[in-house]
């Protein structure tokens, strides 16, 4: 990708940066920025190029993007088990979706860097006390006290080190036999056998099993075929704190081009996607594949504007538009955008985020989402693309590998009254492992019928 002459890693500073923390001490911010700039990259340009190639296939309808993970990673829940379980659920979903879609699945975690959050209000008020909102662990602490909520740039460095350790484990797991296709399928069979929601899918799981057995009989096994035991797994996060992203942006010695080495893929949030804003300015200059969230207020012109800025050469796979309308708004909102983009001949990946347009407050006061609404938005997404003749390229989910109770529904019914049991997210409600598998099976069910 050619870089515009008006871009440099600092050029975003001449644009308005929304959703930035009010750092109390600019010298300390500069110190963390300099430290991060001297640390090794978290990902490598060659890996980013591989993802770009995979995403080019997604754009053409030859592969499917599965992106998912926490709304916000946390400093407290930082254990090998929680990282492993998040990988595990994504791998399990990928096997199910490969079957339903008949396409390779490109797996991208919201992980190893998803530490900064945009907020609708800059302060939070409890019992008459107003404090700065929690903006993600790389900025401040979720605990409601003045000291905890004070933005501290040292946290950016801590987020970097946690990302490095997370990536280290992910690399070991994805190349050390943990991702063996047969093993992943056996976990899915356990889910099918052990849970009421799973039993619906016994037939589907059996068909996957038959396909795997056919390969084994034909002599294709995990032992002799690395592709069955090693997987490509990529990282992504919202590029929100631009000091962090700039500090980790490096010139690749092979291509002489700038890569943001904080993650393979970066996305711009719904609240920071203004065409003249600092986030669009910064990300247009890096080579990484980019995402941009698109909510119900976006017009076809806005979307074309984003294509002009973020993908002026119209490279397939460079730009993923992640729509987040809500199950009741996607029918009105999505077709217009698809037509506008198609008319202008722009290549984008359309991915469905069925989470952020479907949040509501439960009777218990918890912020929650219903798996029914989530599934409905995904179902409409596929129907609309079919009707418009466009490619339904991917899904983008907030999920976790453990047994939390944050979203309601699933055939194993988490009820509103259950939300209090394990409501652990520091930001938005996530699908738990069973709800995630349930969604993957339901997608496969509708697509393979
Ligand atoms: C998110 O993905 O957690 C998020 C804040 O999304 P959006 O920008 O779409 O609101
Ligand atoms: Co979220």
């Amino acid at each position: 990708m050619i870089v515009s002459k008006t871009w440099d890693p600092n050029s975003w500073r001449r644009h308005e940066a929304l959703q930035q923390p009010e750092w109390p001490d600019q010298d300390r911010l500069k110190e963390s920025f300099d430290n991060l700039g001297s640390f090794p990259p978290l990902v490598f340009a060659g890996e980013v190029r591989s993802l770009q190639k995979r995403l080019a296939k997604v754009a053409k309808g030859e592969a499917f993007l599965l992106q998912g993970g926490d709304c916000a990673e946390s400093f407290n829940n930082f254990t090998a088990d929680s990282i492993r379980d998040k990988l595990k659920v994504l791998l399990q979903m990928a096997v199910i979706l490969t079957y339903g879609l008949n396409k390779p699945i490109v797996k991208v975690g919201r992980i190893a860097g998803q530490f900064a959050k945009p907020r609708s209000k800059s302060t939070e008020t409890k019992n008459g006390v107003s404090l700065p909102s929690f903006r993600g662990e790389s900025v401040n602490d979720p605990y409601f006290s003045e000291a905890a909520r004070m933005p501290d740039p040292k946290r950016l460095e801590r987020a970097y080190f946690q990302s490095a350790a997370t990536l280290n484990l992910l690399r070991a797991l994805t190349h050390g036999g943990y991702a063996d296709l047969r093993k992943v399928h056996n976990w899915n069979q356990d889910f099918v056998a052990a849970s009421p929601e799973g039993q619906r899918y016994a037939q589907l799981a059996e068909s996957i099993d038959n396909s795997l057995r056919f390969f084994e009989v034909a002599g294709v096994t995990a032992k002799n075929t690395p592709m069955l035991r090693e997987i490509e797994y990529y990282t992504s996060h919202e590029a929100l704190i631009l000091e962090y992203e700039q500090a980790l942006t490096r010139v690749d010695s092979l291509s002489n081009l700038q890569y943001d080495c904080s993650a393979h893929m970066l996305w711009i949030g719904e609240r920071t996607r203004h065409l003249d804003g600092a986030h669009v300015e910064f990300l247009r200059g890096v080579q990484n594949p980019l995402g941009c969230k698109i909510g119900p207020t976006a017009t076809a012109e806005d979307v074309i504007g984003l294509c002009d800025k973020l993908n002026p050469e119209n490279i397939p796979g460079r730009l993923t538009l992640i729509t987040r309308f809500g199950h009741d708004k996607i029918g009105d909102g999505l077709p217009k955008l698809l037509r506008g983009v198609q008319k202008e001949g722009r290549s984008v990946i359309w991915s469905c985020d069925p989470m952020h347009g479907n949040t509501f407050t439960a009777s218990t006061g918890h912020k929650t989402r219903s798996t029914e609404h989530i599934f409905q938005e995904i179902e409409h997404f596929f129907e609309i693309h079919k009707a418009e003749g466009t490619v339904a390229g991917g899904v983008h989910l907030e999920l976790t590998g453990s047994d939390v109770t944050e979203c309601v529904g699933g055939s194993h019914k988490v009820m509103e009254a259950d939300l209090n049991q394990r409501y652990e997210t520091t930001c938005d409600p996530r699908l738990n492992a069973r709800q995630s598998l349930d969604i993957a099976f339901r997608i496969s069910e509708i697509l393979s019928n």
Side-chain angles (χ1 to χ4, degrees), residues 125-140:
T125 305
K126 267 189 197 169
N127 304 325
V129 181
S130 288
L131 293 175
S133 294
F134 172 59
R135 287 188 174 273
E137 297 254 19
S138 64
V139 175
N140 56 4

Side-chain angles (χ1 to χ4, degrees), residues 5-282:
K5 288 200 178 69
T6 58
W7 186 90
D8 69 71
N10 262 307
S11 57
W12 64 269
R13 295 179 193 267
R14 297 190 290 274
H15 295 250
E16 186 188 18
L18 296 180
Q19 296 284 342
Q20 301 303 289
E22 288 180 28
W23 304 107
D25 184 337
Q26 291 298 313
D27 290 342
R28 288 190 56 198
L29 177 62
K30 175 76 172 61
E31 189 185 304
S32 289
F33 176 75
D34 290 343
N35 288 345
L36 287 164
S38 71
F39 296 159
L42 291 170
V43 303
F44 302 96
E47 298 170 340
V48 175
R49 284 191 285 269
S50 305
L51 174 59
Q52 169 61 44
K53 279 197 202 120
R54 303 285 175 262
L55 292 175
K57 293 218 158 34
V58 173
K60 293 176 191 150
E62 295 162 14
F64 188 79
L65 169 64
L66 171 63
Q67 190 171 14
D70 289 321
C71 178
E73 285 174 271
S74 127
F75 285 171
N76 285 329
N77 183 21
F78 173 43
T79 63
D81 286 1
S82 84
I83 296 164
R84 183 202 58 205
D85 291 346
K86 270 176 256 181
L87 172 67
K88 180 176 168 183
V89 71
L90 214 76
L91 295 179
Q92 288 182 267
M93 294 177 80
V95 171
I96 301 163
L97 292 175
T98 308
Y99 183 80
L101 286 132
N102 234 330
K103 288 175 190 176
I105 307 295
V106 182
K107 295 166 274 296
V108 181
R110 282 176 67 116
I111 200 164
Q114 178 52 21
F115 289 102
K117 299 309 300 174
R119 300 317 301 251
S120 42
K121 296 199 191 82
S122 57
T123 56
E124 182 182 345
T125 305
K126 267 189 197 169
N127 304 325
V129 181
S130 288
L131 293 175
S133 294
F134 172 59
R135 287 188 174 273
E137 297 254 19
S138 64
V139 175
N140 56 4
D141 189 288
Y143 186 75
F144 194 78
S145 78
E146 198 165 335
R149 289 293 173 88
M150 186 59 79
D152 176 1
K154 267 285 164 208
R155 299 180 77 96
L156 293 169
E157 294 177 57
R158 183 160 168 200
Y160 166 89
F161 286 113
Q162 183 164 321
S163 300
T166 302
L167 260 163
N168 181 52
L169 186 63
L170 289 169
R171 291 185 195 283
L173 291 170
T174 51
H175 290 94
Y178 186 74
D180 182 326
L181 187 58
R182 170 48 75 184
K183 199 154 88 185
V184 176
H185 177 60
N186 287 343
W187 294 328
N188 281 344
Q189 284 187 311
D190 291 346
F191 163 75
V192 167
S195 58
E197 71 267 47
Q199 280 160 32
R200 265 183 66 187
Y201 312 118
Q203 228 179 343
L204 241 162
E206 182 63 27
S207 310
I208 301 176
D209 204 50
N210 286 339
S211 317
L212 287 178
R213 216 168 307 134
F214 173 81
F215 278 121
E216 277 159 26
V217 172
V220 184
T221 65
K223 265 208 178 100
N224 62 25
T225 315
M227 270 171 69
L228 295 183
R229 63 170 192 270
E230 288 175 12
I231 57 135
E232 286 180 16
Y233 176 85
Y234 298 97
T235 62
S236 69
H237 61 257
E238 177 173 350
L240 185 68
I241 309 293
L242 293 171
E243 276 88 3
Y244 182 83
E245 304 304 333
Q246 183 185 350
L248 285 162
T249 294
R250 309 291 160 79
V251 176
D252 164 45
S253 55
L254 273 182
S255 61
N256 231 2
L257 294 167
Q258 304 264 5
Y259 285 79
D260 182 343
C261 297
S262 71
H264 300 108
M265 178 179 180
L266 285 316
W267 78 83
I268 303 175
E270 164 73 354
R271 294 168 188 79
T272 50
R273 62 173 163 76
H274 313 276
L275 292 178
D276 288 328
H279 293 81
V280 169
E281 173 59 21
F282 179 71

Side-chain angles (χ1 to χ4, degrees), residues 70-72 110 114 117 293 355-356 369 398 427-429:
D70 289 321
C71 178
R110 282 176 67 116
Q114 178 52 21
K117 299 309 300 174
K293 293 290 199 84
M355 313 300 292
H356 289 88
R369 293 160 173 158
E398 287 185 340
C427 197
D428 291 340

Side-chain angles (χ1 to χ4, degrees), residues 9 44 58 65 94 97 105 114 125 197 199 256 311 319 324 348 362-363 371 382 388 404 413 418 433 448:
F44 302 96
V58 173
L65 169 64
L97 292 175
I105 307 295
Q114 178 52 21
T125 305
E197 71 267 47
Q199 280 160 32
N256 231 2
N311 191 15
L319 180 59
R324 27 92 81 223
V348 300
S363 50
T371 56
F382 280 106
E388 299 293 325
V404 298
K413 298 267 185 295
D418 301 325
S448 53

Side-chain angles (χ1 to χ4, degrees), residues 35 46 107 137 148 170 257 268 298 312-313 327 329 347 362 390 401 414 441 449:
N35 288 345
K107 295 166 274 296
E137 297 254 19
L170 289 169
L257 294 167
I268 303 175
E313 291 166 76
H327 70 287
K329 296 208 180 81
S347 175
T390 42
V414 173
F441 270 117
N449 273 338

